[in-house]
Amino acid sequence: MSDNYRRPGGSDPRTCEQPPSNKPRILLRGARILTQDPAQPEWLRGDILLQGDTILAVGKSLESRRLPDDQVIPSEGHLILPGLINAHFHSPANFLKGALDSLPLELFMLYEVPSGPDAAMSSRAAYIRTQLAAAEMLKLGVTMVQDDAFFLPVPTGAEVDAVFSAYRDIGMRATVALDQPNRPEAEKLPFLRDLVPPALRVRLEQAPPMDAADLLAQYRDMIGRWHGAADGRLRAAVSCSAPQRVTEEYFRALDRLSAEHDLPFYIHMLETRLQRVFGETDLGGRSLIAHVDELGLLSTRMNVIHAVWIDDEDIARLARSGAQVVHNPISNLRLGSGIMPFRRLARAGVPIALGSDELIADDAVNLWSVVKLAGLVHNIGDPDPDSWPSAPEILRCVFQGGAQAARQADRIGRIAPGYQADLAVLDLDTLPFTPLNDLPRQLVYCEPGRAVIRTIVAGEIVFDNSRLTRIDEAALRQEACTIMRSLAPQRERLLREASEWMPHYRAMYRRMLDHPVGMNRWIGDADPCSS
Ligand SMILES: [Zn+2]
């Protein structure tokens, strides 16, 4: 246990006074607690008292505050953490686990996004699809997800309702956005227009099926019906997907919507080398981050997803704006995107959260694996070992970073009075913690999520004793398989379409490699222009 982590401090319980209430109360008794609360980071043995969806008190012993009707959960030998926060995810890919070989993002997306009217998903299929990964996350102690959901071919009220209802019914905390580009494919990518034959160019230049006005109407509808639903467990966010995928008019309208309701704003920027080259070829030599900054649209509400191919000027712009970065290291390896300059961002004061990204970019949707990789991969990015991330630093990214990205730092990501009762309970009498040498390091380097025995969201036990309490997991799995079989013809059509486009996208990718960008975010000498 590092000294800066073990600060048992005083023994007075931390409490918040609440008016008398008949909300159900739970007393978790005798656990080891890592709070992520700077005022009291750890209790070697402590109690947590929950009332309704809120943490009422945390302390060495809360027995004196126990009421006759309280549910008491003996927690000796358990470790209690705040619920983990997955800061970046796209639920619409949930059926595609293991479906694809690794490919660069721009080629990979050809296999992911069906086009045409038959791409629409029934609301039941969207509901089951959403719950499939939510179930997996809850079983790993992940209590909150930021879902940057895309809808094909267009968002409908029924499908949006299905996604929110799925999270509501399984008991997960979620923030959901509509990730819908409104510019034609030809405008989002460099070189491609010149590389395709005329017949394909026509298709490439077609506008997406829903315009900005209709998308904004969908947003207003979603915010009106779902933002703050399920006692505040469900919230809306906005997403432009990426700056090169939307018109400036729509981008500005989304920013106003985000400011009006104080919503997180999801934006993918500089995930790939190709996106860096896009700045050179299509933005007059400015990076996408410089472009957004010069539009005056970088803000504290922004979740900048990936930020791999960024330079020092981009980092300075992010730091000045107060935006946060969401780091998805497994996705960045699966798609060969590169390695984000973690230490340079952290040193500049840019807050970092962690995400799994969509299920075909981290097929296991396992935030513990993301944690481990984030804790390891940056060791090969800097020869100075003092610059390598420590285990407590990575844990802060999960909890404080995730809560801040979601604009909920005052209510989640911490075990402290007044915070939401989102908890992950782990059994310390398990192999990852035997022998127990250092808790933060073993959480980051040893624990793949197997030790999670109980998950509590907003004061409700949603996973306990190997079982999700609100849904029938076996029935969910069975229905998911049935739906996936019914989607086989759509899938086959998508594969045929992708093979038609693939030679041209590969040509675009090769041309991108010839274009120097003055940096290398791949390992070793993989960048042909860097040597
Ligand atoms: Zn993403």
Side-chain angles (χ1 to χ4, degrees):
M1 178 75 51
S2 56
D3 287 344
N4 62 351
Y5 216 82
R6 183 197 283 264
R7 286 202 318 166
S11 57
D12 293 343
R14 291 175 45 70
T15 67
C16 71
E17 292 314 317
Q18 298 253 321
S21 158
N22 56 5
K23 290 180 180 170
R25 290 168 39 125
I26 298 176
L27 177 65
L28 296 135
R29 197 171 57 190
R32 189 161 176 172
I33 306 165
L34 285 186
T35 65
Q36 296 294 321
D37 178 359
Q40 180 73 41
E42 181 173 8
W43 296 90
L44 295 175
R45 183 187 164 87
D47 298 352
I48 305 175
L49 181 60
L50 315 180
Q51 178 172 281
D53 62 7
T54 305
I55 296 170
L56 202 58
V58 188
K60 201 167 184 179
S61 172
L62 300 175
E63 195 60 31
S64 62
R65 303 194 54 178
R66 183 176 156 189
L67 300 178
D69 290 339
D70 287 357
Q71 179 185 357
V72 177
I73 302 179
S75 302
E76 290 80 9
H78 297 168
L79 168 68
I80 304 184
L81 304 172
L84 278 67
I85 298 168
N86 186 354
H88 185 58
F89 186 64
H90 304 271
S91 66
N94 283 357
F95 282 153
L96 297 178
K97 181 181 295 181
L100 296 173
D101 278 336
S102 295
L103 277 173
L105 172 80
E106 292 81 9
L107 280 56
F108 191 84
M109 284 177 75
L110 288 174
Y111 293 96
E112 180 190 5
V113 183
S115 58
D118 77 332
M121 184 74 66
S122 76
S123 50
R124 180 65 187 173
Y127 178 88
I128 293 296
R129 182 186 68 191
T130 307
Q131 282 200 342
L132 200 59
E136 207 155 0
M137 287 189 270
L138 287 175
K139 292 177 81 170
L140 294 169
V142 178
T143 54
M144 156 58 172
V145 65
Q146 297 208 94
D147 187 354
D148 190 19
F150 50 84
F151 296 84
L152 301 168
V154 295
T156 63
E159 195 174 343
V160 171
D161 286 356
V163 172
F164 275 102
S165 307
Y167 289 122
R168 178 195 61 200
D169 295 350
I170 202 167
M172 191 165 189
R173 190 178 301 281
T175 297
V176 180
L178 312 176
D179 176 342
Q180 303 296 134
N182 75 333
R183 292 179 74 185
E185 184 79 353
E187 296 177 13
K188 302 180 211 164
L189 298 163
F191 314 126
L192 193 60
R193 202 191 309 250
D194 301 331
L195 291 168
V196 297
L200 284 184
R201 193 177 310 138
V202 172
R203 285 158 62 187
L204 210 55
E205 288 174 345
Q206 274 170 2
M210 194 173 260
D211 64 19
D214 286 344
L215 286 169
L216 290 167
Q218 283 289 340
Y219 261 112
R220 280 190 282 274
D221 185 52
M222 175 181 84
I223 291 167
R225 286 182 309 113
W226 287 105
H227 185 52
D231 295 324
R233 194 158 47 74
L234 303 178
R235 289 192 176 198
V238 303
S239 171
C240 73
S241 187
Q244 72 277 19
R245 297 176 189 154
V246 288
T247 58
E248 186 181 328
E249 176 203 8
Y250 182 47
F251 194 179
R252 289 192 183 281
L254 287 175
D255 179 63
R256 286 194 294 273
L257 201 58
S258 157
E260 182 184 342
H261 298 277
D262 193 25
L263 310 178
F265 192 137
Y266 306 151
I267 181 167
H268 296 74
M269 285 204 278
L270 295 170
E271 176 176 0
T272 65
R273 190 182 188 280
L274 188 134
Q275 292 170 6
R276 185 91 211 167
V277 169
F278 179 86
E280 300 285 331
T281 58
D282 290 63
L283 296 175
R286 283 170 305 158
S287 80
L288 281 157
I289 287 175
H291 169 65
V292 173
D293 193 20
E294 284 166 21
L295 291 175
L297 293 173
L298 279 185
S299 75
T300 54
R301 287 169 274 106
M302 270 195 167
N303 285 207
V304 177
I305 319 294
H306 302 301
V308 174
W309 291 82
I310 55 175
D311 62 15
D312 287 344
E313 186 193 324
D314 296 323
I315 292 172
R317 287 177 187 273
L318 291 173
R320 273 200 302 274
S321 72
Q324 27 264 307
V325 161
V326 184
H327 182 32
N328 305 268
I330 290 187
S331 165
N332 296 154
L333 293 197
R334 179 80 155 94
L335 305 182
S337 301
I339 299 174
M340 187 192 84
F342 180 96
R343 179 55 62 211
R344 283 154 73 181
L345 280 162
R347 212 172 260 147
V350 178
I352 299 172
L354 296 181
S356 65
D357 207 349
E358 63 191 16
L359 220 141
I360 37 176
D362 171 12
D363 303 57
V365 67
N366 186 334
L367 201 62
W368 294 97
S369 308
V370 173
V371 163
K372 180 167 182 169
L373 187 58
L376 294 177
V377 73
H378 302 292
N379 298 357
I380 57 169
D382 194 323
D384 177 5
D386 293 339
S387 292
W388 298 353
S390 68
E393 183 177 22
I394 294 296
L395 293 176
R396 282 194 295 275
C397 291
V398 178
F399 300 108
Q400 285 99 318
Q404 190 170 339
R407 300 195 70 68
Q408 299 188 53
D410 58 346
R411 62 197 298 269
I412 60 171
R414 184 178 292 194
I415 300 176
Y419 275 67
Q420 285 287 291
D422 291 3
L423 305 173
V425 183
L426 286 73
D427 185 357
L428 289 175
D429 187 15
T430 48
L431 290 171
F433 298 101
T434 306
L436 185 53
N437 293 312
D438 180 285
L439 207 41
R441 282 191 214 118
Q442 280 169 268
L443 286 166
V444 172
Y445 304 129
C446 303
E447 165 57 8
R450 285 189 312 240
V452 176
I453 54 167
R454 182 173 298 120
T455 303
I456 298 175
V457 182
E460 181 180 342
I461 299 171
V462 293
F463 171 65
D464 192 27
N465 198 18
S466 308
R467 203 179 63 83
L468 292 160
T469 61
R470 278 184 164 218
I471 63 152
D472 179 341
E473 186 192 326
L476 172 70
R477 284 189 269 113
Q478 192 174 32
E479 191 170 352
C481 292
T482 305
I483 292 168
M484 200 55 196
R485 275 195 296 276
S486 75
L487 293 174
Q490 184 202 81
R491 195 81 204 128
E492 281 161 23
R493 206 161 30 252
L494 174 65
L495 295 182
R496 275 200 305 278
E497 268 180 37
S499 62
E500 187 183 4
W501 289 102
M502 184 53 82
H504 312 297
Y505 276 67
R506 279 189 182 277
M508 169 184 71
Y509 186 79
R510 281 194 300 273
R511 188 175 289 189
M512 172 277 292
L513 291 176
D514 292 336
H515 204 107
V517 293
M519 67 173 72
N520 181 23
R521 295 282 175 261
W522 287 321
I523 59 168
D525 51 6
D527 191 325
C529 298
S530 70
S531 54

